[in-house]
Every structure is written in C-alpha cells, then in structure tokens.
Amino acid sequence: TKLQAQLGLVEQRVTTAVEQVNAHLTADVARLDAQVAAEREERCKVVGEEREDRRKEVAAEREERCKVAGEEREERLEDMAAEREERVKEAGEKSVEWQGALEAERNARGAAVAEESAARLQLTQRV
C-alpha cells in the first residue's frame, strides 16, 4: 500500500515530466519550423531579387546591343549612300567624258568627210 502510493507518486511525476518534455519539444519544434519558414522566405526573397536584378541586367545588355547594332546599321547605310553617291558622280563624269569623246569623234569624222569631199571636189575640178 505504501509502496503502491509511492509508485503512484512516481508514475505521476514521470507522467508530468514526460508531459513537460513533450510540451517543451513541441514548442521547440514549432519555433524551429517558424525559423525554417522565415529563412526559406528570406532565401526566396533574395533569390527573387537576384533574379530580377539579372533580368534587368540582361534587358539592359540587350538594349545596348540593339542600340549598337542600330548605330552600326545607320553607319553602314550612310557609307552605302556615300559610296552610291560617289559611283553616281563618277558615272556622271565618265558620261561627260564619253560624250566629249563621242563629240570629238563626230567632229573628227565630219572633218575627215569634209576633207574627203574637198579632195574629191579638187579632183573633179582638175578633170
């Protein structure tokens, strides 16, 4: 009986101690879960910010490449226009030269024909 009473007290103390340990463990687990969740949320936030920063960098790089490509294209167009203008100018100069050469050839032929006509006239007048 006395032993049973002592055994009952020990059982009660053990039960109380187990309940207290369980309560502490449950609180610790809840605190750790909250801490892990907060750390996960912070990592996600940092990763999201890094991803956004990288997206902005990539967009800025793309924009810069497009700007440079546009400038290069504009320069090529200007160069092509200048080359075309130079070719047109050269072609015009050559055209003037050719026209001058053709005119000189016509004049030379006309002079040759006139000389030949004069020579024939002289021959016919001698006869």
Side-chain angles (χ1 to χ4, degrees):
T1 57
K2 187 176 180 184
L3 197 54
Q4 284 179 338
Q6 285 179 341
L7 185 59
L9 281 174
V10 169
E11 283 179 353
Q12 190 178 11
R13 285 182 185 159
V14 168
T15 301
T16 302
V18 167
E19 288 173 352
Q20 288 176 346
V21 167
N22 280 339
H24 281 88
L25 289 175
T26 301
D28 286 347
V29 167
R31 183 178 47 78
L32 289 173
D33 282 346
Q35 184 178 352
V36 166
E39 289 173 358
R40 184 181 304 120
E41 185 176 329
E42 182 61 26
R43 280 194 311 271
C44 287
K45 179 181 171 188
V46 168
V47 167
E49 289 170 353
E50 290 172 350
R51 185 176 294 140
E52 181 63 21
D53 290 346
R54 182 62 187 141
R55 187 195 65 74
K56 287 178 183 177
E57 287 174 12
V58 168
E61 290 169 1
R62 184 182 311 116
E63 185 175 330
E64 182 62 24
R65 283 193 310 270
C66 287
K67 178 182 172 188
V68 168
E71 290 170 355
E72 289 173 352
R73 181 177 181 275
E74 187 64 31
E75 288 174 8
R76 282 194 311 273
L77 288 174
E78 288 173 3
D79 290 346
M80 289 170 58
E83 289 172 8
R84 186 180 312 114
E85 187 176 317
E86 184 63 27
R87 286 193 307 269
V88 167
K89 180 181 172 187
E90 288 173 2
E93 290 171 357
K94 286 181 182 178
S95 176
V96 168
E97 288 174 18
W98 292 338
Q99 286 176 357
L102 286 173
E103 187 66 29
E105 188 177 327
R106 279 191 208 118
N107 290 340
R109 283 184 189 166
V113 168
E115 284 180 26
E116 188 179 324
S117 294
R120 283 188 185 163
L121 183 60
Q122 285 180 352
L123 283 177
T124 55
Q125 286 177 350
R126 286 186 193 168
V127 175

